[in-house]
Structure formats: C-alpha cells, structure tokens
Amino acid sequence: MSGLCGWVGYSSTDDEIQQLIERMVYPLIRFDGSQARSLTGNSAALIIAASDRYTHVYQKDGWLVGLWGYVRFQNTELNHLAGVEGVAKVLADQWQRKGEKILEDLTGEFVCCILNSNLQEAILATDRMGTRPLLYQVSHQGLLFGSSTDTIAAHPLATPEVNLQGLYNYVFFHMIPGPDTIYYGQKRLLPGEYLSYKKGSIEIKKYWQVQFREKEKRPFIELKQEFLSLLHSSVSEAVGDQKVGTFLSGGTDSSTVAGILGEVTGQPARTYSIGFEATGYDEMEYARIAARHFSTDHHEYYVTPEDVVTAIPQIATVFDQPFGNASAIPAFYCARMARADGLDALLGGDGGDELFGGNVRYAKQYIFSLYENLPSVLRKKVVTPLALNIPEGNSLQFVRKARSYIEQASIPMPGRMEAYNLLVRYNYENVFTSEFLANIDPIQPSVLSRQTYDQTHAHSLINRMLAFDWKFTLADNDLPKVIKACELTGMDVSFPLLNNAIVDFSARLEPQLKLKGTKLRYFFKEALRDFLPDEIIVKQKQGFGLPVGIWLQKHKLLQALAADSLNDLKSRKIIRSDFIDKLLGQYLYEHASYHGTMIWLLMMLEHWYKQRINI
C-alpha cells in the first residue's frame, strides 16, 4: 500500500498546486510506483496513491471524499449499495445524513478523509486497530494531513522541526508512540479515532473503543466453531481477487493463517520464511513443520550479516520516523521473495498474541499480580518492609529471588513492566547528554503508558494488558514494521487476525480463556489443537528476531557500519560520547543480545538523521 495526503485551507495557482501534489505524493509512490488520484477544490486537495483495490474516491458539490485501504460497511444494505455506487460515495451520502455515527459502521483496514471545500472543514479517521497511519498538522492557514511525516513535510505550511521529546521516547520505546511524532506540531491519530476540523481548530474523538464483556460464558465447542468460521471469513476477505501469500515464522499465528489460506483458496498456500545462521534465533525447522503439515508452496531465505548491511539504508529510507525494531529486515526479505514470485499481497499473522494472550510477559505479570491478593496490611506493614530490608548481596538464591519478586510486585501496573526497559536499566542520565536532557521530560513515557493503561474498560489484568498492547505493540510497532517492510518492495499486506469480527470475538472471551493461570493463549491453542501440528502448539514464541548483537561481535563490515554510525551520532549532542564508547568497546562483549539492541537503536537513529536532516 502507498497512502494518502492533502490539505484544507491552502490555495495557489494551478501550476503550483500540481507541483505541490507531485512533491507530497512522491514519498508515497517512490517504492511501488502506484498511480496517484487527486481531487482538488476550493483551497483543498485529497490525493490517494494505491492500487485500485485500496483506492476509493468521490467528488461532488465541494465534497472531496477518499478512503485508502480495504474497507466495507457492516450494514448489509450499505455494503451492497457500495458495491454499486462505490464506498466513497456511500460514505459521503451517509455522512451528510448521520454524521460521525457512520464511522462506527466502517470495518476493515483503512483511513478515510471527508473534506468540504466550500466550508473548509474536514473529517479524518483511522480504523479501529490503527493498521494504517494518518498524521496531521494544523498551521496558521489550514490543516495538512498524510500517511507519513515525509509527505506532510513536503508542504510549504509544514514545520518539520525535530521533536526532542520524540527522540527520547524513541530510545525508551524503540519507536515513537502516537499521538506524537518525530516533528513538533505533527500528530498521529490513534486507533479508532477521528479528527474534526472546523473554523481553524480541531477536535479529536473516539468513534470506537473496545468494550470487554468479561462475564459472558459460552460452551467451548460453540466458541470453537464460531472462531474457525471467523478465521475462514477474515482470510477470505483479505485475499479477495489478489494473488496472495503469507509470512510463516513457524509460530501459532502465522501457521494458522497459512493453513486457513490453503483451505480458503483450495490451493497450496505460498509461504515465506526467514532463517538465521545463529544458535537460538533460527526457527526454520518449525516453519518447515507447518509447511509440510499444510502442504504449502514454501519459500525460504537465510538472512546474512551482509544482507543486514545492505538493507539498513533502505530501511532508514522507508521509515518516515526513527524505528528500532530490527525484525523489519527479515520481514523485508520475506516480502522481497513474494514480490519476485509475482504476488500482490502478503498476509501477516500479527495480532494473535495481543488478542488471545500469547506474550510471555502476560504470564509473568500474572505471577506478580498474585502478591496483590495478600491482605493490604500484611503486604505493606510486614512482608514488603521485611523483604526490602534484606541486603541486596545476600548469598542465598531463594532470598535474592524473593526480594526481587516483592520489589517488582510492589510496583503498580503498568509501571512494573518498565523494570525490563533497556533505558531504565542503563539509567537515562548515563545515556543522554545533559544538554539534551535539559529539553525533555524523562517521565513522559511513563505518563503516556499510565494514561493508555487507565483508559481501558476492563477489570481483568490480562484484558488491560491486551488493550495496552493493541496500541504500543501493534499500532505503534509491529504493524508499521510489517507495512513499511512490505512497502519497500512494493508489496501490499493485510492482517486477517485483526479483522473487526475477530477483535469483537476476543473481547467477548472470558479472561481465563486467554490466560489460564500461566498458560498462554489457552483458548486459541485448544481450539486449533486438531488443526495445527502438535510441535507448533507447544513451542515457545520467537518470531523473526534478528541476531544483531551476535553478528555485531563477529562481522567486521557490520561492526564498522555500527561504529561509524554511532561515532557520527556523537556530533548531534544527543547521546553521551562515553556511553557510546562503552557500548561499542565493552558492553557489547559482555552481553551481545542485550547491548546489541541499544547499538541497533542508535545506529538506526543516525541513519534516519542522515536520510532527512542535513546537519
């Protein structure tokens, strides 16, 4: 997919407008060469660059309406009408009748824009799970919007000044979480949000927010049958009339999608897997187990350190903001294989863990939560003070573990999840220069986490963590990773496990069916036990993790690239020079995978700077 962009409140000559459209659309089409369709009106414009399947536009009487992505109406009559008249026209008509209520009827992976050039008003919205990005900036003259910071920055009214707080948040989260971006003034809509622009001011509201129904009890066999039916319908919707393949890591999610894809199409699913010549990182054998089990048309590629060196500048180019998830590189090589095979799109298995309770930290936090069940007086007056008075260097392993457990369990959620944060472990004052720290708020990431966690309408710990991860893990991290990696190859991508019907199904599951004690994704695995191979049901989660640290220890070319990048980063006065020296010369050789992550974060930050900031 490519994206969209536009504005309200800016006028110029026809020639200058056309030149501006070309500048703004270039970041959207530079990799896949999609055709762009532009609608212009009185001081307003809307441009969509994507394949026909993902482009929906309508223009009449000052209305400029566009949707980018795969989108349908939940209402059967409206959906039928959209098949005749087009989704954008039906949306325009229904908006004038129902207003914001019509947004609740949209389903799929999309962003939409409704502009009234006569009134100089706009509505911007993104789908429930935030699978497609939509950013905006309000200037003194009007509203700018686009699918990336790059396209907005191309507009003369934009002010692309680097947001220092965004840099700090990047190192903390390994990406820049919404609604903030890397630039001052630019913001991003969160999942299920819409923006209303009138008379020079904006209002942000939610048109959808998950409502967990935690006490609804249904027979297991009934749930299983509904779930299997939803899997088939969601994969079928994602496929449509395209030539489609799927990522296959060998985990439960990707294996499920691969198996369902074969059943839906009636043909062997085309599956794509990445391996690594690094102990503890290569999951190719599990991918092969799934491929054999479902008789897929399987394709493999082993990523090398040389591949990483080649891909780094390309990854930095396609990501419009600093992005530190190294598994974007294996996703890119998967997508490249699929593109070479002539496919239109890939299916990603993202979302299963976050809908059905599959991340290891869910079980860890459950164990910590048991401490909260002790009477408050006993915890606060007896157990906690006693444990914390034990010297940290106590030689008894049991005593040390008990102290560590109580220390972490005493921290309220979501703060105790930060105990594992890389920046917290280093201490931010040892990482950033004092000059840089003078301009940021080091507690802002914690405040953002707390706000997100507290906004969840759920009583159970597991559902609160799931909803938290829908934002930070999916919308802010994993989905952009896959989408951008695919964009680099000109490949479209869809996420059938995030289909609205499956999300709603998850919200109705009892919490203990997601996490039963410490058993992860209990319902998902039991429902698919006679569908997936046993080896995959019982395997531990890994994914396409890149062995960055190990390769940084041994591969000279990658070492040189990292050293050059981090030494260049010193001149930006963001990261302390002595920290960089210790990171490269000492820490990396003490614990490769741990400290290699920080090297990767800083290396990708410098490459982002090199691509966009001329200093």
Side-chain angles (χ1 to χ4, degrees):
M1 289 187 175
S2 299
L4 58 74
C5 58
W7 66 82
V8 174
Y10 177 81
S11 60
S12 187
T13 66
D14 290 346
D15 287 345
E16 289 174 337
I17 291 298
Q18 185 56 43
Q19 292 172 10
L20 176 55
I21 288 173
E22 291 175 0
R23 288 200 305 272
M24 291 187 73
V25 82
Y26 173 72
L28 304 178
I29 66 173
R30 56 187 161 173
F31 298 111
D32 63 9
S34 294
Q35 293 296 312
R37 299 185 61 179
S38 60
L39 311 178
T40 57
N42 178 26
S43 301
L46 170 59
I47 309 100
I48 299 182
S51 63
D52 289 342
R53 173 181 168 86
Y54 299 107
T55 301
H56 313 273
V57 293
Y58 173 74
Q59 181 174 12
K60 187 177 182 180
D61 298 332
W63 290 94
L64 313 179
V65 181
L67 299 98
W68 167 52
Y70 177 71
V71 59
R72 301 171 68 251
F73 292 95
Q74 296 186 86
N75 181 286
T76 304
E77 292 183 8
L78 291 181
N79 210 41
H80 175 73
L81 189 61
V84 177
E85 299 183 347
V87 174
K89 182 182 184 303
V90 174
L91 177 62
D93 293 341
Q94 293 298 314
W95 177 264
Q96 295 173 70
R97 297 176 188 175
K98 300 181 180 179
E100 64 189 53
K101 284 291 183 182
I102 190 58
L103 297 176
E104 299 175 12
D105 210 302
L106 295 176
T107 180
E109 302 172 7
F110 66 90
V111 294
C112 76
C113 300
I114 305 173
L115 311 183
N116 187 318
S117 60
N118 295 332
L119 298 177
Q120 295 292 283
E121 296 179 351
I123 297 294
L124 309 177
T126 188
D127 67 61
R128 296 181 179 188
M129 301 303 287
T131 59
R132 301 291 179 257
L134 187 54
L135 303 96
Y136 62 91
Q137 180 173 336
V138 179
S139 75
H140 65 282
Q141 194 169 331
L143 173 72
L144 312 177
F145 58 88
S147 301
S148 77
T149 62
D150 290 339
T151 189
I152 295 176
H155 197 284
L157 296 183
T159 55
E161 178 186 355
V162 172
N163 177 3
L164 299 184
Q165 185 68 52
L167 292 178
Y168 182 89
N169 292 353
Y170 163 72
V171 178
F172 189 95
F173 291 108
H174 304 185
M175 46 70 188
I176 301 174
D180 292 330
T181 72
I182 188 57
Y183 296 121
Y184 288 112
Q186 285 195 25
K187 297 288 186 179
R188 194 182 92 224
L189 286 180
L190 299 181
E193 280 189 346
Y194 74 96
L195 175 153
S196 174
Y197 175 80
K198 294 180 180 180
K199 298 178 181 179
S201 62
I202 64 170
E203 187 175 12
I204 308 291
K205 292 183 179 180
K206 282 273 190 183
Y207 71 85
W208 179 85
Q209 189 164 357
V210 62
Q211 300 293 326
F212 290 103
R213 290 155 61 178
E214 300 186 315
K215 296 183 179 180
E216 183 175 298
K217 296 182 180 294
R218 294 168 60 194
F220 180 86
I221 187 62
E222 180 181 311
L223 289 171
K224 176 180 177 178
Q225 291 170 350
E226 180 181 355
F227 182 51
L228 291 174
S229 175
L230 289 175
L231 285 174
H232 281 80
S233 62
S234 63
V235 170
S236 180
E237 283 183 21
V239 172
D241 58 359
Q242 304 176 106
K243 292 185 290 184
V244 170
T246 183
F247 293 96
L248 182 59
S249 68
T252 51
D253 293 329
S254 64
S255 299
T256 298
V257 172
I260 298 294
L261 178 60
E263 293 187 349
V264 164
T265 61
Q267 299 176 350
R270 293 191 179 185
T271 53
Y272 297 86
S273 299
I274 292 298
F276 311 103
E277 295 289 355
T279 303
Y281 285 85
D282 185 40
E283 286 194 290
M284 191 67 83
E285 185 51 42
Y286 288 104
R288 290 168 182 163
I289 289 171
R292 289 192 295 269
H293 183 79
F294 294 116
S295 300
T296 73
D297 179 5
H298 189 54
H299 306 263
E300 300 177 354
Y301 183 77
Y302 268 76
V303 171
T304 67
E306 289 80 9
D307 290 327
V308 175
V309 171
T310 300
I312 284 173
Q314 299 176 69
I315 293 293
T317 300
V318 75
F319 280 95
D320 57 327
Q321 303 189 71
F323 189 78
N325 189 333
S327 58
I329 286 184
F332 160 64
Y333 281 103
C334 265
R336 194 178 71 164
M337 282 192 289
R339 170 53 72 194
D341 285 344
L343 299 190
D344 299 317
L346 279 171
L347 303 184
D350 302 79
D353 285 331
E354 293 75 21
L355 290 177
F356 297 99
N359 287 320
V360 174
R361 63 179 172 276
Y362 301 151
K364 288 183 178 179
Q365 294 305 327
Y366 165 75
I367 293 172
F368 285 131
S369 73
L370 297 177
Y371 185 66
E372 299 172 357
N373 295 333
L374 292 176
S376 177
V377 173
L378 180 61
R379 278 189 288 114
K380 295 179 180 179
K381 299 295 185 180
V382 181
V383 181
T384 299
L386 180 63
L388 297 185
N389 282 329
I390 298 172
E392 290 191 38
N394 192 292
S395 60
L396 295 177
Q397 185 178 21
F398 170 77
V399 174
R400 292 200 308 272
K401 287 187 174 182
R403 177 191 170 94
S404 175
Y405 170 82
I406 292 172
E407 282 180 336
Q408 293 185 64
S410 299
I411 302 172
M413 285 288 286
R416 68 170 174 251
M417 290 192 289
E418 294 175 8
Y420 305 100
N421 185 280
L422 197 59
L423 185 57
V424 171
R425 293 291 183 94
Y426 283 124
N427 186 338
Y428 68 89
E429 292 179 328
N430 294 328
V431 175
F432 295 101
T433 66
S434 57
E435 176 184 352
F436 175 82
L437 289 174
N439 296 287
I440 63 97
D441 179 2
I443 69 169
Q444 198 215 51
S446 298
V447 171
L448 180 59
S449 296
R450 167 57 63 184
Q451 289 173 345
T452 302
Y453 190 80
D454 288 346
Q455 288 170 0
T456 302
H457 298 289
H459 296 289
S460 66
L461 174 66
I462 181 60
N463 278 339
R464 292 174 75 88
M465 286 196 293
L466 293 181
F468 181 90
D469 277 347
W470 291 2
K471 179 193 184 305
F472 286 105
T473 300
L474 289 176
D476 289 332
N477 196 329
D478 287 351
L479 301 183
K481 174 196 73 180
V482 179
I483 289 171
K484 288 295 185 181
C486 287
E487 179 185 333
L488 192 53
T489 68
M491 177 69 63
D492 289 330
V493 61
S494 294
F495 307 97
L497 295 184
L498 294 178
N499 183 286
N500 289 172
I502 293 183
V503 173
D504 291 342
F505 176 85
S506 166
R508 300 194 307 271
L509 273 182
E510 295 176 75
Q512 59 268 30
L513 290 180
K514 300 171 184 177
L515 182 68
K516 188 171 185 179
T518 58
K519 293 181 180 179
L520 299 171
R521 55 195 312 162
Y522 176 78
F523 168 78
F524 191 102
K525 290 183 176 181
E526 290 302 313
L528 295 171
R529 188 167 291 279
D530 54 357
F531 179 72
L532 293 173
D534 290 339
E535 299 94 326
I536 288 174
I537 289 283
V538 301
K539 78 176 285 290
Q540 292 188 343
K541 176 180 172 59
Q542 258 183 273
F544 288 145
L546 195 70
V548 176
I550 292 173
W551 286 348
L552 280 169
Q553 281 188 338
K554 300 176 181 178
H555 191 266
K556 297 299 182 184
L557 194 57
L558 186 57
Q559 284 178 352
L561 180 62
D564 289 345
S565 302
L566 268 61
N567 284 321
D568 288 346
L569 184 62
K570 290 179 180 179
S571 65
R572 304 190 189 278
K573 308 299 182 184
I574 299 168
I575 307 297
R576 290 175 54 141
S577 294
D578 60 341
F579 176 76
I580 288 175
D581 291 341
K582 288 180 181 178
L583 195 58
L584 292 171
Q586 176 186 341
Y587 296 159
L588 175 63
Y589 299 96
E590 294 175 349
H591 196 312
S593 60
Y594 184 83
H595 299 292
T597 299
M598 179 58 78
I599 293 175
W600 182 267
L601 286 174
L602 300 184
M603 179 165 57
M604 296 312 297
L605 174 59
E606 175 58 22
H607 278 269
W608 179 87
Y609 260 101
K610 279 184 167 66
Q611 296 278 357
R612 290 169 176 82
I613 310 297
N614 296 318
I615 60 172

